[in-house]
Amino acid sequence: MRLARLTQRKQFLAAAEHGRRFRSSVLTVQVRDAAEEAGRDGLRLGLTASRKVGNAVKRNRIRRRLRAAAALALGAQAGRACDVVIIARTETLSAGFEALVADLSIALDRARPAKPYAARSGRKPPQDKQRAPDSGSAPAKP
């Protein structure tokens, strides 16, 4: 299965600015929900491997591994309207393939939007209480 791609810089920047982030020792994942965008359906994937991770051969190998891991980990959630940006680290090349798939699955689960407090527990959210000034405190210095 082939995932849609992020192709423009502004899409990557939007995921970095407005998305939720998951970091592991092998990679960093940024997920931005795009459900509010009209006409959007499906998951889009963006991969980043800077020159810090190695030469062109290593970067391309990392991107191929990440693309294959993303197809396995994110394939079941391809209908979810979100943008996923995966940022590679040097350890991505030496990490086990199963570890990459597991990290991507965990990242997408943790990046889900948090439910409102009332929906989680069925209770009212805590109220901030205004405290009355203490009458027994020491007088202010003149």
Side-chain angles (χ1 to χ4, degrees):
M1 183 185 105
R2 186 177 172 112
L3 297 170
R5 291 179 22 202
L6 294 177
T7 56
Q8 297 178 351
R9 177 175 165 78
K10 67 180 180 179
Q11 296 167 338
F12 283 86
L13 293 176
E17 184 177 337
H18 301 293
R20 300 184 71 167
R21 187 168 294 162
F22 170 79
R23 291 180 184 93
S24 76
S25 62
V26 179
L27 50 88
T28 300
V29 180
Q30 299 167 340
V31 180
R32 183 182 76 90
D33 281 328
E36 66 274 357
E37 291 181 15
R40 270 294 308 275
D41 58 328
L43 185 135
R44 295 189 302 184
L45 178 68
L47 301 173
T48 301
S50 70
R51 283 189 273 175
K52 292 179 184 177
V53 299
N55 61 15
V57 174
K58 291 179 183 177
R59 291 193 310 266
N60 287 330
R61 187 179 305 150
I62 287 171
R63 281 193 288 263
R64 283 193 305 268
R65 291 187 82 206
L66 289 176
R67 221 174 273 123
L72 289 177
L74 308 176
Q77 300 191 15
R80 180 179 170 195
C82 66
D83 295 338
V84 177
V85 176
I86 304 171
I87 302 169
R89 295 188 179 167
T90 54
E91 295 83 12
T92 306
L93 194 56
S94 60
F97 187 73
E98 293 79 21
L100 289 176
V101 173
D103 280 352
L104 287 173
S105 298
I106 291 169
L108 200 59
D109 287 340
R110 286 192 183 169
R112 290 184 186 275
K115 294 179 184 176
Y117 184 81
R120 284 185 293 196
S121 63
R123 294 183 285 166
K124 293 182 181 179
Q127 299 293 325
D128 291 335
K129 296 179 182 177
Q130 293 286 341
R131 292 176 41 174
D134 289 338
S135 59
S137 62
K141 295 182 180 179

